[in-house]
Amino acid sequence: MKVENCEYPNKLKLADVSPVYKKENPLLTKNYRPVSFLPTVTKIFERIMQNQLNEHINQFLSPILCGYRTGFSTQTALLTLIERWKIMLDKKGYAGAILMDLSKALDKINYELLTAKLHAYGFGKEALKLILSYLKHRKQRVKINTTFGSWVDLICGVPQGSVLGPILFNIFLNDLFLFLNEIQVCNFADDTFCLWSKSFRSCSET
């Protein structure tokens, strides 16, 4: 079996992508959201891999990451934001935030860099080989009703519509928050909030 040899089956890497209309001009491709459909059986393999990944990586994930995690949600991120603002307003200070949205974030992840980060978190050689095999040599085609486009190779990004994609994205993003000591940050998926607050007293002192 290929998985036992640290190789993810290529037949499970084929995705059909259906464009779903979002808003505004229907003649522009940017106004459609690509929805990816993978073979159903791949969910079984991915769920097993996800459980093993979570068992190891959860101890390293920052509490700032609120997306794609058990016990975290959009509510966690919003409450973090509101509570920090309330604390500063109670001190007669002021607060603000910079809201950032990473465009097409999950589609732009570099495989080698992700593998290097996984290695830094203690994943073994065989695990890294399997994950790299899972990511590479993927293909997708556009499906509109009963019409299919040509297969196109994917050279970066985690698989859309997959079980493993979100957790791999979290791992890729996680170490960014280890270096942000001067500001408070909260993240949900590809949305990041940079929080800034100060009391009037500390302003006058500076």
Side-chain angles (χ1 to χ4, degrees):
M1 188 175 180
K2 285 193 172 184
V3 174
E4 293 178 349
N5 297 324
C6 302
E7 295 179 22
Y8 199 82
N10 287 331
K11 290 184 178 180
L12 301 183
K13 303 177 187 178
L14 306 177
D16 290 327
V17 179
S18 295
V20 177
Y21 175 67
K22 295 190 295 183
K23 58 180 180 179
E24 299 178 355
N25 189 348
L27 299 180
L28 298 179
T29 55
K30 68 177 183 179
N31 293 330
Y32 288 81
R33 182 186 304 278
V35 178
S36 179
F37 296 93
L38 291 162
T40 303
V41 69
T42 191
K43 306 292 185 181
I44 300 173
F45 288 95
E46 289 191 58
R47 191 67 66 183
I48 295 171
M49 293 173 66
Q50 181 196 42
N51 291 338
Q52 295 177 353
L53 276 169
N54 280 330
E55 185 177 344
H56 177 75
I57 200 63
N58 277 338
Q59 60 184 314
F60 301 109
L61 292 182
S62 169
I64 291 171
L65 285 168
C66 297
Y68 312 127
R69 300 176 65 187
T70 302
F72 292 78
S73 65
T74 52
Q75 187 177 31
T76 309
L78 289 172
L79 286 175
T80 300
L81 179 69
I82 293 171
E83 287 302 315
R84 288 176 180 174
W85 278 348
K86 285 170 61 179
I87 291 171
M88 188 49 58
L89 292 175
D90 288 341
K91 295 179 180 179
K92 307 300 181 182
Y94 57 93
I98 299 175
L99 311 182
M100 298 182 293
D101 181 4
L102 300 176
S103 178
K104 308 294 183 183
L106 276 75
D107 297 329
K108 298 177 180 178
I109 292 179
N110 179 278
Y111 299 148
E112 281 68 29
L113 181 54
L114 174 59
T115 304
K117 293 188 177 190
L118 288 166
H119 181 263
Y121 285 124
F123 284 88
K125 185 181 297 185
E126 291 186 350
L128 294 175
K129 183 180 177 181
L130 177 58
I131 293 172
L132 196 58
S133 173
Y134 165 82
L135 291 169
K136 285 190 170 183
H137 308 302
R138 287 186 170 270
K139 296 178 181 290
Q140 68 180 24
R141 61 183 178 180
V142 176
K143 176 186 177 184
I144 301 178
N145 297 325
T146 57
T147 303
F148 295 87
S150 302
W151 289 107
V152 177
D153 294 322
L154 299 179
I155 59 174
C156 61
V158 294
Q160 297 284 353
S162 66
V163 174
L164 286 184
I167 184 176
L168 292 175
F169 175 74
N170 272 352
I171 294 171
F172 189 82
L173 202 63
N174 186 62
D175 60 314
L176 171 66
F177 304 119
L178 301 177
F179 301 96
L180 299 177
N181 300 318
E182 300 299 323
I183 57 175
Q184 296 177 321
V185 179
C186 189
N187 167 270
F188 185 88
D190 55 0
D191 295 309
T192 301
F193 313 93
C194 296
L195 314 177
W196 182 71
S197 59
K198 211 165 191 179
S199 66
F200 287 126
R201 180 181 179 184
S202 59
C203 287
S204 62
E205 290 174 350
T206 56

